[in-house]
Amino acid sequence: MFTFASDLAGELAELREAGLYKQEREITSPQSAHISAAAGGPPREVLNFCANNYLGLADHPAIIAAAKRALDDRGFGMASVRFICGTQDTHLTLERRVSEFLGTDATILFSSCFDANGGVFESLFGPQDAIISDELNHASIIDGIRLSKAARYRYRNRDMADLEAQLRAATSQGDGGARRTIIVTDGVFSMDGYLAPLAAICDLADTYGALVMVDDSHAVGFMGATGAGTPEHAGVGGRIDIYTGTFGKALGGASGGYVSGRAEIVDLLRQRARPYLFSNSLAPSIVAATLRALDLVAGSADLRTRLFANAEAFRRRMTDEGFDLLDGEHPIVPVMFGDAVLASRVAALMLDHGVYVTAFSFPVVPRGKARIRVQLSAAHSPEDVETCVAAFVAARADATA
């Protein structure tokens, strides 16, 4: 008779045979554009082109200093949820600052954006309601929607005709249509780097009386004129009902997430959102460091300018070298290989050439669409970008020799 452990061992073997087993490479340095990483040998310095460290703030000295001061002034942890004794003045300050940054009424903090998305739908939408979600939305949105008893609709990625068809379907739901309908989308789809067509989404929402929610995790801090994200970039900041996002990418890269929007929405989440009610408060050092990150974003556009200059240069040089890239303007740049084995082989060879990247294949992306997802950072120098391009050229030659 098979034991539970042997069953799991068999499943793990199947993952390895299918090339789907995820290996974790050990990093022995701070997260940065240049890191020390081990891959089957002693750690060595490599260029990192696969982090969400868009603004290069993960090891910024001002952010580290703010975190150290908070350890002395506010302690290590809160040992409590918010509504018992886990709310410090700095938590409230950060919530106000995020609201000011995004132009919303109010904000509520969560331990991650995964938890933020997990807390929205069950708290706000019930059996009489409809949730309409883009098919490529993040796993946290998918899991959060599953917790709600609302009717679920899905539309093809960025397909406004299909979205309108789902909106029509929601109007015929039950007796007289859904009580509340919400359209949910990522601001940036992280495997492709594509932006959601937010202006068109908001127009359809207005036509059908729907709410709009945007998870802006891969944009907050650097997209838009002030870095407020894809709604600002699309000119629809005042038309978004619910923002969710993370502090774990551009804004310091540690952890923490939020829901921001109308005051009534945030107030109800404080009463009902289970990930908020039953999870420890954000650590004081993360709160203080995130406040400092917001200061840096608000104080200068230099990092954003450098980030997009790097992305443009990488796209241009890779195109010059004959690589197949997905079109876009975002610093996520998918380099398409199609074949999963080839993509994995090139990624492995890139490390031999001193550049750390990651290959993605089915089921993370569709079959035949295997790729290496490159993520640019403001911390990369022009020389770093050129080194990455040269590594791609050399690894492609090695892999196809």
Side-chain angles (χ1 to χ4, degrees), residues 16-370:
R16 290 188 178 93
E17 290 169 8
L20 301 176
Y21 187 85
K22 298 172 183 63
Q23 298 281 358
E24 297 180 2
R25 291 171 178 160
E26 179 183 342
I27 294 174
T28 59
S29 66
Q31 183 65 276
S32 188
H34 294 249
I35 58 173
S36 176
R44 60 191 179 92
E45 184 174 310
V46 294
L47 278 170
N48 188 358
F49 276 86
C50 57
N52 299 315
N53 188 24
Y54 295 113
L55 296 177
L57 298 182
D59 65 338
H60 194 287
I63 289 178
I64 293 172
K68 288 179 177 179
R69 285 194 299 271
L71 285 169
D72 291 334
D73 296 342
R74 295 292 192 278
F76 175 66
M78 295 307 301
S80 175
V81 300
R82 288 284 297 272
F83 78 94
I84 297 179
C85 59
T87 298
Q88 288 182 331
D89 55 343
T90 50
H91 290 98
L92 300 176
T93 299
L94 179 55
E95 288 173 337
R96 287 193 297 269
R97 286 287 303 280
V98 171
S99 298
E100 292 168 1
F101 183 51
L102 299 179
T104 58
D105 294 342
T107 296
I108 177 174
L109 302 178
F110 287 81
S111 58
S112 68
C113 188
F114 205 108
D115 276 350
N117 287 334
V120 168
F121 303 104
E122 183 182 23
S123 303
L124 301 178
F125 302 97
Q128 298 169 281
D129 303 320
I131 302 171
I132 306 177
S133 179
D134 189 290
E135 66 178 349
L136 294 188
N137 278 340
H138 191 265
S140 59
I141 292 175
I142 295 169
D143 286 358
I145 290 171
R146 287 172 176 162
L147 296 173
S148 171
K149 293 182 172 62
R152 306 168 196 169
Y153 302 84
R154 187 172 65 173
Y155 65 96
R156 291 186 293 273
N157 180 232
R158 302 179 300 134
D159 186 328
M160 295 300 94
D162 195 28
L163 172 57
E164 185 164 19
Q166 305 310 315
L167 285 162
R168 288 197 189 103
T171 63
S172 61
Q173 175 182 316
D175 296 326
R179 178 187 61 169
R180 300 170 185 157
T181 299
I182 186 167
I183 303 166
V184 187
T185 183
D186 285 355
V188 178
F189 296 95
S190 61
M191 282 296 112
D192 298 327
Y194 291 149
L195 308 186
L198 292 182
I201 289 172
C202 288
D203 288 346
L204 285 171
D206 290 345
T207 299
Y208 289 89
L211 303 167
V212 178
M213 171 178 157
V214 177
D215 177 342
D216 222 23
S217 292
H218 281 277
V220 66
F222 61 94
M223 293 293 295
T226 69
T230 53
E232 181 182 51
H233 181 73
V236 297
R239 302 171 69 187
I240 305 302
D241 298 283
I242 301 175
Y243 289 76
T244 65
T246 183
F247 307 132
K249 292 182 171 61
L251 296 175
S255 62
Y258 60 84
V259 178
S260 193
R262 303 180 191 279
E264 296 84 358
I265 291 172
V266 170
D267 285 348
L268 193 58
L269 290 176
R270 290 194 194 279
Q271 305 306 312
R272 290 184 177 174
R274 293 165 70 87
Y276 178 80
L277 293 170
F278 298 103
S279 294
N280 262 19
S281 304
L282 276 181
S285 57
I286 291 177
V287 173
T290 304
L291 284 166
R292 190 70 183 95
L294 288 171
D295 289 341
L296 293 171
V297 169
S300 172
D302 289 350
L303 293 175
R304 299 195 295 278
T305 300
R306 193 182 314 157
L307 170 63
F308 285 102
N310 284 342
E312 190 279 329
F314 180 77
R315 288 181 182 275
R316 173 172 43 79
R317 286 290 295 113
M318 289 290 282
T319 301
D320 291 344
E321 296 293 346
F323 287 91
D324 180 17
L325 310 181
L326 293 186
D327 292 337
E329 58 186 295
H330 193 273
I332 290 174
V333 184
V335 183
M336 305 301 291
F337 289 92
D339 181 73
V341 174
L342 177 60
S344 295
R345 177 69 175 148
V346 171
L349 289 166
M350 291 278 288
L351 197 60
D352 293 339
H353 292 283
V355 176
Y356 187 173
V357 291
T358 302
F360 295 88
S361 57
F362 182 83
V364 178
V365 297
R367 292 187 189 275
K369 299 289 186 181

